[in-house]
Amino acid sequence: PMRVSELLASKGDLVVTVHPDTSLEQAGKQLARYGFGVLVASEDGSVVSGILSERDIVRKVAEAGAKGLDVKTRSIMTRKVYTCTPDDTLDDLMRLMTEHHFRHVPVVNEEGNVCGMISMSDLVKHRVVELEAETELLQNMITSR
């Protein structure tokens, strides 16, 4: 089975972190700049303190209006963050994400530092490529008989 490390090697390991005291306005600008759906909140830029999604920001602005953009990341970030390691299998990660209904999981190395981010979209893209390869193999087997 394919491991998280192999997927990171092909998709890249860029993770954008924000300090928990960053305003939602600044966090939103980071999300837009990188085209990401989530940011890792971290006191030191390495250890995961929480996770902040576009959805979290939208909900806060819907509730509080424009002044919601002045709120600090720490006040709305998800603090209970499920993480995975580079050695975890993609199948196990997909099960975890499906069971707990989230779309992004930070990858944390042995030292406890964030070293990548896997999204449900990454897993689905990988699975589609796998299925296409299997289909082609089966078609070749059938036509070669």
Side-chain angles (χ1 to χ4, degrees), residues 89-100 120 122-125 127:
T89 69
L90 298 187
D91 290 344
D92 288 342
L93 186 54
M94 187 172 282
R95 246 189 281 1
L96 177 80
M97 293 172 87
T98 302
E99 182 180 324
H100 295 284
M120 183 58 83
D122 297 328
L123 296 176
V124 169
K125 284 179 200 167
R127 190 67 184 121

Side-chain angles (χ1 to χ4, degrees), residues 77-88:
M77 69 185 187
T78 300
R79 292 170 189 274
K80 183 178 181 183
V81 180
Y82 288 85
T83 62
C84 66
T85 71
D87 291 331
D88 288 333

Side-chain angles (χ1 to χ4, degrees), residues 8-106:
L8 286 179
S10 65
K11 78 159 241 165
D13 59 3
L14 178 63
V15 179
V16 179
T17 63
V18 293
H19 193 278
D21 289 332
T22 301
S23 71
L24 295 187
E25 179 178 10
Q26 290 304 313
K29 287 179 180 177
Q30 288 288 80
L31 286 166
R33 178 175 172 209
Y34 289 97
F36 288 171
V38 299
L39 300 171
V40 170
S42 175
E43 299 279 344
D44 63 2
S46 294
V47 176
V48 177
S49 303
I51 196 165
L52 178 72
S53 71
E54 290 172 321
R55 197 179 260 198
D56 296 330
I57 295 172
V58 167
R59 285 183 180 141
K60 187 63 184 178
V61 170
E63 168 198 306
K67 64 180 180 269
L69 293 173
D70 297 330
V71 167
K72 303 287 184 224
T73 293
R74 78 171 62 250
S75 71
I76 69 164
M77 69 185 187
T78 300
R79 292 170 189 274
K80 183 178 181 183
V81 180
Y82 288 85
T83 62
C84 66
T85 71
D87 291 331
D88 288 333
T89 69
L90 298 187
D91 290 344
D92 288 342
L93 186 54
M94 187 172 282
R95 246 189 281 1
L96 177 80
M97 293 172 87
T98 302
E99 182 180 324
H100 295 284
H101 306 287
F102 43 73
R103 289 177 294 284
H104 298 87
V105 176

Side-chain angles (χ1 to χ4, degrees), residues 131-144:
L131 290 171
E132 287 172 346
E134 288 173 18
T135 301
E136 186 177 340
L137 180 68
L138 290 170
Q139 286 172 336
N140 290 340
M141 288 171 62
I142 290 166
T143 56
S144 69

